[in-house]
Amino acid sequence: RGEEGNPRGGCTNNGIGSEHREREELQSLLRELTRYVSVQDAMRSLDTVCQDLKKAIKKLDKLLRVCKRKKGEEVEAYPECFAFSKKIMEGLKSVHLVVGTSIGHTKRMEGVLMLFKAAMNYRHDVLAGNQKQELEGWVRGSKVLKVIIEEKERAKAESARAAAAAENTPGAGERGTPTPGAEGIPGAGGG
């Protein structure tokens, strides 16, 4: 089938059996992991929906790595992958809605935070442009989810401070390494 691709999923099948099997397994897992993503499902078992969606995000990233022909191609270029992306977004929206209700406030939030952290980390790979914007808006607008952005900004600031401190440490990079055999030559870096 070569360059024409696979009409079932948008992935190409170059006749490599193990790659084809891996694709099929990932698609099957994704179908299972994205089966129960409605608001009702999230209200019934928020932790399970969050765990399944987090796994689905990672599996979709893996599937896209198997399918993608060119770096930088968007998920929309692969119809079956994009369908999974939409299902994941539907699930994220359901979780977001439940978290915003009084029922959501009675639930443990660790699973929700882990899910949205994964979604934010993988958003450039597994979501389309408008989906990324929607996800980022939810995270920025939610008191519960805003923690994710604040943690990321705090980590960046700490990293920048550490890098600046390393640059300003006395003796760090002030002297060049001595040139072998140049000990007795003035100005040759040996002395």
Side-chain angles (χ1 to χ4, degrees):
R1 282 190 228 194
E3 294 299 313
E4 291 84 50
N6 180 347
R8 285 188 49 223
C11 292
T12 58
N13 180 4
N14 295 330
I16 302 170
S18 64
E19 197 174 282
H20 180 70
R21 268 191 307 280
E22 181 180 15
R23 239 187 352 261
E24 291 294 322
E25 287 173 16
L26 287 168
Q27 289 170 350
S28 176
L29 277 168
L30 279 161
R31 277 189 287 279
E32 184 62 34
L33 291 169
T34 58
R35 182 168 286 152
Y36 302 104
V37 295
S38 70
V39 172
Q40 292 81 8
D41 296 322
M43 290 177 91
R44 250 179 267 142
S45 182
L46 186 62
D47 284 338
T48 302
V49 170
C50 288
Q51 288 171 3
D52 286 352
L53 286 170
K54 183 179 172 195
K55 288 177 193 171
I57 289 168
K58 292 180 178 186
K59 295 297 180 191
L60 179 55
D61 178 62
K62 193 171 184 179
L63 178 62
L64 280 162
R65 290 175 194 273
V66 172
C67 291
K68 279 189 178 181
R69 302 288 296 166
K70 297 177 189 155
K71 192 172 177 89
E73 281 184 319
E74 292 293 322
V75 68
E76 297 103 318
Y78 303 93
E80 189 159 322
C81 292
F82 189 47
F84 289 125
S85 181
K86 288 179 186 176
K87 287 291 284 183
I88 289 169
M89 253 333 256
E90 179 184 331
L92 289 169
K93 185 175 190 172
S94 296
V95 170
H96 178 254
L97 290 171
V98 169
V99 167
T101 67
S102 58
I103 293 170
H105 293 289
T106 64
K107 306 281 185 181
R108 290 189 356 244
M109 289 295 128
E110 295 88 24
V112 172
L113 289 173
M114 297 294 283
L115 167 63
F116 276 88
K117 202 176 275 192
M120 288 294 286
N121 288 339
Y122 285 88
R123 72 186 181 277
H124 298 294
D125 300 315
V126 301
L127 299 177
N130 60 337
Q131 294 172 322
K132 287 182 237 183
Q133 291 173 344
E134 191 171 7
L135 173 66
E136 290 164 357
W138 293 339
V139 171
R140 266 194 297 282
S142 168
K143 290 178 185 175
V144 173
L145 300 177
K146 196 177 249 183
V147 171
I148 296 168
I149 291 176
E150 291 168 355
E151 283 179 3
K152 202 168 223 171
E153 288 172 353
R154 194 172 22 256
K156 278 184 186 176
E158 286 174 15
S159 175
R161 276 194 297 275
E167 284 181 13
N168 295 329
T169 303
E174 288 179 357
R175 292 184 173 192
T177 39
T179 307
E183 293 82 26
I185 305 171

